[in-house]
């Protein structure tokens, strides 16, 4: 396998090409290195390669890494977050991509208020309707946003989705397009704490299509830092 730096350069080239095809500026696209399958050393190598964003999905692995490296980069929590783990990540992982229920929002608001911390959240939406995927169904999102509109210790900066894994990512372009169209509709509501400027979508196998459809955060694990577990 190539090193993280080579992988990163390759990915940035492909992002630039996807942006050129669709008239976007590459500066709008932020690469998050998903380090859930790699060691502390490889996570450090990602930061050394100039990657500004690190993403983790399990609190028990994420927090020890943050304790070593949290003074570098921006830390994103991307996995299912148990309500009783909010305290463990609050103020450390300043971005949460998996806001998917009211009980979690309530806890972020309560603990955030106590600590004086605002968490930048993305609402996870299950666009594809796959039963194995987490997230609100599309019709649940607006009522949810209205329920939490008065919360001042979370800011809903965007929407997040995961597309089904397919060989040819063109087949799931509609998932990314739907998320963007949904975001555009929701922005018209002008909710107090939901500017919704971000779209978190695209992984190792489908990030180019996601960028063409407007992704501002792409979450890349295997193609960037590899997978040291299997
Ligand atoms: C693991 C994971 C990724 C990265 O997956 P790769 O296919 O390795 O790039 C992205 N998003 C979420 C939510 C993940 O859990």
């Amino acid at each position: 396998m190539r090193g993280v730096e080579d992988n990163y350069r390759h990915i940035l080239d492909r992002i630039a090409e996807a942006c050129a095809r669709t008239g976007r500026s590459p500066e709008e696209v932020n690469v998050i290195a998903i380090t859930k399958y790699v060691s502390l050393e490889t996570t450090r190598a990602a930061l050394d390669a100039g990657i500004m964003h690190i993403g983790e999905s399990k609190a028990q692995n994420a927090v020890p890494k943050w304790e070593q490296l949290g003074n570098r980069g921006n830390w994103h929590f991307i996995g299912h977050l148990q309500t009783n783990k909010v305290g463990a990540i609050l103020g450390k992982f300043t971005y949460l991509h998996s806001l998917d229920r009211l009980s979690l929002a309530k806890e972020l608001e309560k603990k955030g208020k106590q600590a004086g911390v605002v968490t930048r959240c993305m609402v996870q939406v299950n666009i594809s309707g796959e039963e194995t995927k987490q997230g609100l169904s599309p019709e649940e999102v607006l009522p949810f946003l209205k329920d939490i509109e008065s919360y001042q210790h979370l800011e809903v900066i965007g929407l997040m989705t995961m597309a089904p894994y397919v060989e040819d990512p063109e087949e799931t372009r509609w998932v990314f397009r739907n998320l963007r169209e949904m975001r555009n509709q929701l922005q018209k509501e002008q909710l107090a704490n939901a500017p919704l400027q971000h779209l978190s979508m695209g992984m190792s196998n489908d990030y180019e299509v996601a960028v063409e459809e407007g992704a501002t955060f792409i979450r890349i694990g295997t193609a960037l830092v590899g997978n040291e577990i299997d």
Side-chain angles (χ1 to χ4, degrees):
M1 204 194 95
R2 293 178 300 187
V4 174
E5 223 172 303
D6 284 346
N7 292 339
Y8 186 39
R9 204 171 304 127
H10 176 74
I11 288 166
L12 289 179
D13 285 345
R14 294 173 79 166
I15 291 169
E17 285 165 19
C19 285
R21 287 194 291 276
T22 48
R24 299 189 65 200
S25 161
E27 283 89 69
E28 295 169 12
V29 183
N30 301 286
V31 176
I32 307 172
I34 305 302
T35 53
K36 65 186 179 191
Y37 297 133
V38 301
S39 65
L40 179 69
E41 286 321 304
T42 304
T43 306
R44 182 177 283 122
L47 289 160
D48 290 344
I51 295 168
M52 306 287 296
H53 299 275
I54 300 292
E56 283 280 333
S57 66
K58 287 209 170 72
Q60 67 268 31
N61 302 331
V63 173
K65 275 190 190 148
W66 182 89
E67 277 163 358
Q68 297 294 319
L69 300 170
N71 59 339
R72 303 178 59 190
N74 303 289
W75 289 69
H76 298 248
F77 198 89
I78 62 162
H80 179 71
L81 182 61
Q82 288 174 261
T83 307
N84 64 8
K85 296 279 167 55
V86 165
I89 68 135
L90 196 85
K92 300 182 171 80
F93 287 72
T94 50
Y95 294 87
L96 174 70
H97 292 239
S98 50
L99 180 59
D100 61 355
R101 62 197 191 278
L102 194 56
S103 58
L104 180 58
K106 279 189 175 147
E107 188 68 7
L108 286 162
E109 174 64 10
K110 184 175 137 204
K111 287 250 160 45
K113 192 171 186 175
Q114 288 165 1
V117 167
V118 178
T119 304
R120 297 174 185 136
C121 299
M122 270 149 290
V123 172
Q124 185 167 355
V125 189
N126 184 354
I127 297 281
S128 67
E130 279 182 295
E131 280 179 23
T132 54
K133 293 273 192 290
Q134 311 271 358
L136 296 176
S137 65
E139 58 278 8
E140 287 172 326
V141 177
L142 180 57
F144 175 73
L145 290 176
K146 286 184 170 165
D147 280 345
I148 65 170
E149 193 185 359
S150 65
Y151 293 15
Q152 295 185 7
H153 298 86
L154 55 85
E155 184 183 16
V156 185
I157 62 167
L159 302 179
M160 179 274 221
T161 200
M162 283 174 86
Y165 181 83
V166 288
E167 284 286 312
D168 177 4
E170 279 299 333
E171 283 174 30
T172 50
R173 181 181 291 278
W174 67 274
V175 172
F176 303 129
R177 184 170 293 167
N178 275 18
L179 194 74
R180 168 167 47 85
E181 287 171 352
M182 198 178 153
R183 186 280 305 271
N184 294 349
Q185 283 303 318
L186 291 168
Q187 264 180 338
K188 293 183 188 154
E189 302 284 331
Q190 302 202 313
L191 297 161
N193 61 352
L196 295 168
Q197 69 271 44
H198 285 290
L199 290 170
S200 170
M201 55 189 197
M203 305 176 24
S204 289
N205 68 311
D206 57 17
Y207 68 89
E208 290 167 273
V209 175
V211 168
E212 287 175 0
E213 294 298 334
T216 64
F217 282 120
I218 57 176
R219 310 178 308 266
I220 309 189
T222 321
L224 181 52
V225 292
N227 179 342
E228 295 166 356
I229 289 168
D230 57 43

